[in-house]
Amino acid sequence: MKKWLTMLLTVVLGLMGLAGCSDSDQASGDGQVEITYGIWDKKQLPAINEIIKQFTEKNPNIKVKTEITPYGQYFQKLETAATGGALPDVLWMNGAHVVQYAEGKVILPLSDMAQKDNYSLDNYPKSLIDLYTVDGKVYGIPKDYDTTGLWYNKKIFDESGVSYPDETWDWNKLKEAAKKLTNKDKGIWGYASLMGNQGGYYDFIWQNGGYIISDDGKSVGFDQLEAIEALKYNISFIKEGLSPTQAQMTETAASELFSSGKVAMMFDGPWMVPEYKKNPDLDVAVVPKGKKRAVAIHGLANVIAANTKHKDAAWKFVQFLGSKEAAEVYAKTGTVIPAFNGTQDAWEQSVPNLNLKAFIDGAEYSVPLPSVKNTGAIWQYETDILKKAWSEEVSVENAVKELTTKANEELNK
């Protein structure tokens, strides 16, 4: 199916590219050009609007219109839009999908344009440039990066007489604290055991010495002892009544339970800073360690649709999105950790009441989020199968057996 989709996208976009290429540099004319910018996180909109405002002041003939699609529907919508020729001109891309979209010729390679305009790619962490490099060509300009922190509610800790989490915490201390913080009379859980990969079970598996996808990209490690132990530890919070159940976290997002004082601790990323900074009871610490400390690192990039009719305008906008000026807007608003080297300190200091250094420190012991051509399919198998273990419908052993079989078949197609 994926191979068929890639072939279809290649053919359709190739024809569209031929039809639309004559309009690609209209931005240099006197008339105003409108380009669209596809994103999925409305919490970042205030910062994005400020960046667009600065860009428009420098480029008055280019109007930028944002299109927000929730992440759950984002890539499904992109696949439909790509075949129908309705992709945004500029859009967010993540590591999980870049290979598929690059090889399907859905997005443009940017290396030649960057070289022509002397646009330096050395301004970003090399790992992020590598993440968006496919067959030797760079397809995305890094926008930000994120790691994981242990968010906690100081008020609940104080009322329970529990010391705040710090770098000495390990899995045992996390469990002990969750027991002390859980108050069934008040409807408070000590910890939210999310069934999420990044900022969830991936981190625990790595902390226990396991792996997600083998170095050769041909097998997953979910059925290995280290992964099974990590998943069981994760789910044990639910079994012991220290975490909301999977059904409860489906009905009300764990982040909502946390911000409303119903959950004392949870793993989450810096993307929650704009929301959590409004609550003076909340703070963040480094994640507890297992056999070692480990968190996922990932970052978004801005890419250009292959069938854009305004290639020059889109490239101008992408360059500005990757500029120091844009990074500083993100940094000062505490929205995300900007990818532009040297601007992370401003982000860390943007919200003085939060220990944002926990996320910067996370980069030191981070593991890149796995990226293969069919990452999306692997993630779907994870979601569909592991939720049965999280809901306690099947054992962890049976869930990982099924997941490993299906994921390995997908990797070896």
Side-chain angles (χ1 to χ4, degrees), residues 66-292:
T66 53
E67 293 181 358
I68 306 175
T69 305
Y71 183 75
Q73 294 93 49
Y74 185 83
F75 286 99
Q76 185 179 355
K77 181 181 175 183
L78 285 191
E79 290 187 2
T80 304
T83 54
L87 275 175
D89 298 283
V90 176
L91 57 147
W92 282 3
M93 182 55 58
N94 65 11
H97 291 85
V98 66
V99 176
Q100 176 191 346
Y101 280 74
E103 292 187 354
K105 302 190 186 303
V106 180
I107 54 177
L108 288 175
L110 307 178
S111 309
D112 291 346
M113 290 188 282
Q115 189 173 1
K116 180 184 173 186
D117 290 348
N118 294 316
Y119 188 84
S120 177
L121 300 177
D122 295 331
N123 289 322
Y124 317 97
K126 184 179 181 298
S127 58
L128 294 182
I129 291 293
D130 290 346
L131 182 63
Y132 289 97
T133 300
V134 181
D135 295 332
K137 294 181 179 180
V138 176
Y139 281 82
I141 301 299
K143 169 187 171 294
D144 56 49
Y145 73 84
D146 44 68
T147 57
T148 309
L150 177 66
W151 288 90
Y152 64 99
N153 186 307
K154 293 182 289 185
K155 185 180 178 183
I156 300 175
F157 270 74
D158 292 342
E159 289 174 351
S160 306
V162 179
S163 299
Y164 298 157
D166 59 29
E167 65 279 355
T168 67
W169 274 36
D170 57 13
W171 285 12
N172 290 331
K173 283 196 175 182
L174 181 64
K175 178 65 74 71
E176 286 170 17
K179 288 176 180 176
K180 293 175 183 174
L181 295 162
T182 298
N183 187 327
K184 291 182 180 176
D185 292 336
K186 292 185 178 179
I188 295 172
W189 291 278
Y191 178 74
S193 185
L194 283 172
M195 197 207 74
N197 48 28
Q198 182 185 4
Y201 55 81
Y202 278 7
D203 294 349
F204 284 112
I205 290 171
W206 288 321
Q207 287 170 16
N208 204 39
Y211 65 93
I212 310 303
I213 297 178
S214 61
D215 291 340
D216 63 7
K218 293 182 178 178
S219 63
V220 294
F222 293 110
D223 63 345
Q224 301 299 302
L225 180 62
E226 295 86 354
I228 292 171
E229 288 176 349
L231 292 168
K232 282 186 170 180
Y233 172 75
N234 227 191
I235 295 168
S236 70
F237 288 89
I238 296 174
K239 287 192 171 184
E240 294 170 33
L242 309 176
S243 164
T245 63
Q246 176 66 13
Q248 287 168 325
M249 290 186 284
T250 301
E251 185 179 336
T252 306
S255 58
E256 288 182 36
L257 293 171
F258 176 65
S259 34
S260 63
K262 295 298 181 184
V263 163
M265 300 181 289
M266 67 179 290
F267 276 26
D268 216 335
W271 51 82
M272 296 305 296
V273 170
E275 183 174 329
Y276 291 164
K277 72 179 181 181
K278 301 169 190 173
N279 188 333
D281 294 333
L282 307 184
D283 204 352
V284 63
V286 295
V287 297
K289 60 187 173 185
K291 294 174 183 173
K292 58 182 179 179

Side-chain angles (χ1 to χ4, degrees), residues 209-390:
Y211 65 93
I212 310 303
I213 297 178
S214 61
D215 291 340
D216 63 7
K218 293 182 178 178
S219 63
V220 294
F222 293 110
D223 63 345
Q224 301 299 302
L225 180 62
E226 295 86 354
I228 292 171
E229 288 176 349
L231 292 168
K232 282 186 170 180
Y233 172 75
N234 227 191
I235 295 168
S236 70
F237 288 89
I238 296 174
K239 287 192 171 184
E240 294 170 33
L242 309 176
S243 164
T245 63
Q246 176 66 13
Q248 287 168 325
M249 290 186 284
T250 301
E251 185 179 336
T252 306
S255 58
E256 288 182 36
L257 293 171
F258 176 65
S259 34
S260 63
K262 295 298 181 184
V263 163
M265 300 181 289
M266 67 179 290
F267 276 26
D268 216 335
W271 51 82
M272 296 305 296
V273 170
E275 183 174 329
Y276 291 164
K277 72 179 181 181
K278 301 169 190 173
N279 188 333
D281 294 333
L282 307 184
D283 204 352
V284 63
V286 295
V287 297
K289 60 187 173 185
K291 294 174 183 173
K292 58 182 179 179
R293 211 184 303 275
V295 295
I297 189 169
H298 181 244
L300 301 187
N302 289 297
V303 302
I304 299 175
N307 64 344
T308 177
K309 293 182 178 179
H310 308 296
K311 180 178 170 183
D312 291 347
W315 172 234
K316 275 187 182 178
F317 184 49
V318 165
Q319 288 181 80
F320 191 78
L321 289 170
S323 68
K324 186 178 181 183
E325 296 99 307
E328 285 173 343
V329 172
Y330 280 122
K332 288 170 185 172
T333 54
T335 308
V336 288
I337 307 174
F340 195 98
N341 291 331
T343 59
Q344 290 87 13
D345 287 348
W347 178 81
E348 185 186 323
Q349 296 155 16
S350 65
V351 188
N353 58 305
L354 291 176
N355 175 33
L356 297 185
K357 190 174 185 294
F359 294 110
I360 305 294
D361 289 347
E364 297 172 14
Y365 42 83
S366 61
V367 182
L369 201 63
S371 179
V372 290
K373 185 173 182 178
N374 34 12
T375 309
I378 304 296
W379 283 3
Q380 193 59 56
Y381 284 133
E382 289 177 30
T383 301
D384 294 343
I385 297 168
L386 290 181
K387 72 180 177 186
K388 293 186 284 189
W390 247 260

Side-chain angles (χ1 to χ4, degrees), residues 32-44:
Q32 191 173 67
V33 165
E34 180 176 284
I35 59 173
T36 49
Y37 184 31
I39 67 170
W40 64 67
D41 186 1
K42 66 180 180 182
K43 291 191 293 293
Q44 297 190 34

